[in-house]
Each structure stands twice: as structure tokens, then as C-alpha cells.
Amino acid sequence: MRLTARGLNRATLARQALLAREASDPVSLVDRLGGLQAQEPATPYIALWARLRDVDPTEIDEALASRKLVKATLHRSTLHLGSTADYLASIEALQAVTRTRWMQEQRGLPVVRSLSELTEESLAYAAEPRTNVTLRDHAGTLGEPVPADELWRRIRRYGAFLHVPGTEPWGFGRRPVQVAARSWLPEPIRDEGASLEHVVRQHLRAFGPARPADVAGWSGLAIGRLRTGFERIEGAVRHEDERGRELWDLPDLPLPDPDTPAPPRLLPMWDETLLAYADRSRTIPEPYRKRVIVKAGDVLPTFTLDGLVAGLWWAEADGGREPRIVFEPFEPLARRE
């Protein structure tokens, strides 16, 4: 089937729960979406508010405290809020990327022992939650001729660490407390083929129909490595886009009518809907891309009209009262908009 750009946009919105807010719980939706970007502490909360009918931030905090959700380094070695089930199924494949990258960088690092050995000592030390500063200082005691900051930066990327939620609402601040994943969760899947298949399935479920280049760009895994995951999917559906490029999908997932109305939505900083494709014009018109994804690499909070990014928004303090929302449209808006 040939799918138009508008049809692909509506498929994305449907799978991302952005055509209509859903009556789901945060854990189920986060699991279906394969995680939410979480570099900014508030981002997952706002992302869920945009997608669920009734969501209370304390529900998310409770799911984190009960270890049904976790905040961890996942796709592209960036922080995500994910379900525990998704984390355990995907981490074997995703960590292979991180380890390859940091092992290559170790060649220029004047360490005496291997990065895997140094990471093992840090994971043992992080068997109980410890602050980032404490873990950095511990790295400085490992006897290596490398600044503690630099060594800890590499160790925390190489090893599987989780961010532990605090006791306050919206439970993550900017001074993270971390713990070894193996001390916090059950043992993950150690079958790389099964883990690769899971990563591909999750992407198609959350963002499909999609190209292998989309899954590679989002996950950080090379297309060659992902091939195993694609080959393991029985009954995969094939489509093509308007340029004749092959798209993969899973059966029985929504492909709404391209004329389905798309209500306005406020998306948070780093919303994954804008980042999950090699060709980001599915949700960001090309003239606006550099205004949304800025030089520093930040992805700004956006609002959508008719399913496409139409401008930026932010909250502003208003003299101690409720904050007000400020909109910066990229083009003049009609009154109805």
C-alpha cells in the first residue's frame, strides 16, 4: 500500500495517543510507546498529560516508586522514562551500542584497567542508591590517571544505572541519585536477537509504519545490526511512502483515514514524536525544523495544529500567581486556530 505524507502523520498521531486522549494508565501507555524522553525532569509528565484523559502526576511517581516505571539511559544513550518490562527486554540490544562506542573511546583514555572492570566496581558500589557526586568521587578512588569527572562520565554510559526517584512530587530534580540496575530490577533478557526484535517491534508499534533508517536513528543501533530484529518478525506488513521508500509495520495497527481531524496539542521539550524518524517532516514542516531542533541539540516545546508543529510554547511565571502559557506561532494564526 502506498501511504501519503498526511496518512503517515495520522498513523503516528494515532499510535502516539495524540489524535484523542486515551483512558489508559501511565504504565500501560509508557510501555506501548517504548518510553518517553526524560532529559528534562518535567518532560514525561507533560508528554503523558498530552496523551491521557485523566492523569495525576502522583500516579507516575507511584509507578516509579513501585518500580513499574524506570528512568534510565536507553535509546541513543539518552535518558528515558520506560516501563520496567520494556527496559528489561531492550537493554541488552541498546547497551551493545553504548559499550561499543565507549570501548572505542577508551583507546584514547589513559586507563590502566579495562572500562568493563572499572564499571563493575562502580556497579558494586552503587548496589544502594548514591548521588551522582558520590559516584563521581568514587570513580576518583579507582586509581586511574584520569579526572574523576571524565572517568565517571564514561562508566555511567558503559554500565546499567537507573535514576532513583525522590520523595517530592514530580520526583526527579537536577541532582540525580543513581543505583545499579541489577540491584533494583530483575535480570534482563540476555538474548541479543530477542532484544533486537523487541526494539524493532516497539518502534513499529509506537511510530510505524517506519523505515529501518528510522529505527536506527531513534535507537542508535546500526541498520546492519537491526537486520536481525527485522528478520525475526513473522507476518510483517510492507508499505511504501510517496517517494517509493519501503516502510515496515506490524499487522492490525491503526492506519487512520488521512482526513481524520487532529486536535491541537502542546508537546514537551524533547517529545519523541518529533525525533523518531530519519525524515522528520512527518511531524515538523521542513522550514521550521531548525527553529525546533536548535544548534545546541535541544528540542524545544512545540504546539501542533492539524497534526504538524506550528510554533513554540512555554510557561512563564506571572507575579506569583498561576503561570501563564505563552505561544510563539511560526506563522500568523487564523482566529479559529
Side-chain angles (χ1 to χ4, degrees), residues 16 81 87 92 107 111 167 178 199 224 251 260 279 282 287 292 298 301:
Q16 284 288 308
L81 182 76
Y87 177 87
E92 180 73 9
R107 294 170 191 163
V111 291
T167 56
Q178 300 191 55
V199 168
T260 303
D279 178 359
R282 193 182 290 206
V292 173
D298 287 340

Side-chain angles (χ1 to χ4, degrees), residues 38-55:
Q39 291 97 311
E40 281 291 310
T43 287
Y45 295 85
I46 301 171
L48 287 168
W49 167 80
R51 291 163 165 85
L52 292 174
R53 283 187 203 165
D54 298 297
V55 61

Side-chain angles (χ1 to χ4, degrees), residues 216-231:
W218 172 246
S219 66
L221 289 156
I223 290 178
R225 195 167 210 151
L226 284 165
R227 191 171 291 119
T228 299
F230 280 98
E231 289 172 350

Side-chain angles (χ1 to χ4, degrees), residues 316-324:
E316 231 175 46
D318 191 13
R321 297 172 297 187
E322 289 293 319
R324 61 190 183 123

Side-chain angles (χ1 to χ4, degrees), residues 174-333:
R174 298 188 181 277
R175 295 174 182 256
V177 174
Q178 300 191 55
V179 68
R182 67 192 189 191
S183 304
W184 197 254
L185 300 177
E187 180 73 9
I189 292 173
R190 292 303 183 192
D191 179 336
E192 188 175 348
S195 190
L196 286 164
E197 180 184 353
H198 176 81
V199 168
V200 173
R201 284 182 177 277
Q202 278 289 64
H203 192 278
L204 298 179
R205 185 160 49 239
F207 303 110
R211 296 185 293 142
D214 299 324
V215 186
W218 172 246
S219 66
L221 289 156
I223 290 178
R225 195 167 210 151
L226 284 165
R227 191 171 291 119
T228 299
F230 280 98
E231 289 172 350
R232 289 172 62 111
I233 298 176
E234 296 182 5
V237 180
R238 310 291 180 90
H239 304 289
E240 63 178 39
D241 65 14
E242 291 176 325
R243 294 166 59 181
R245 297 177 297 187
E246 186 179 57
L247 300 162
W248 286 66
D249 206 2
L250 302 176
D252 303 321
L253 290 177
L255 288 172
D257 188 301
D259 293 326
T260 303
R265 288 289 183 261
L266 273 65
L267 302 180
M269 196 169 186
W270 299 101
D271 195 274
E272 58 277 354
T273 310
L274 312 183
L275 295 174
Y277 305 99
D279 178 359
R280 290 168 178 171
S281 63
R282 193 182 290 206
T283 52
I284 311 175
E286 182 56 30
Y288 305 153
R289 184 171 56 84
K290 290 184 178 178
R291 298 176 70 175
V292 173
I293 306 172
V294 297
K295 279 188 177 179
D298 287 340
V299 181
L300 303 180
T302 59
F303 67 87
T304 63
L305 293 172
D306 194 28
L308 295 170
V309 167
L312 307 177
W313 73 274
W314 60 91
E316 231 175 46
D318 191 13
R321 297 172 297 187
E322 289 293 319
R324 61 190 183 123
I325 302 300
V326 180
F327 293 91
E328 182 184 302
F330 292 145
E331 306 290 344
L333 301 183

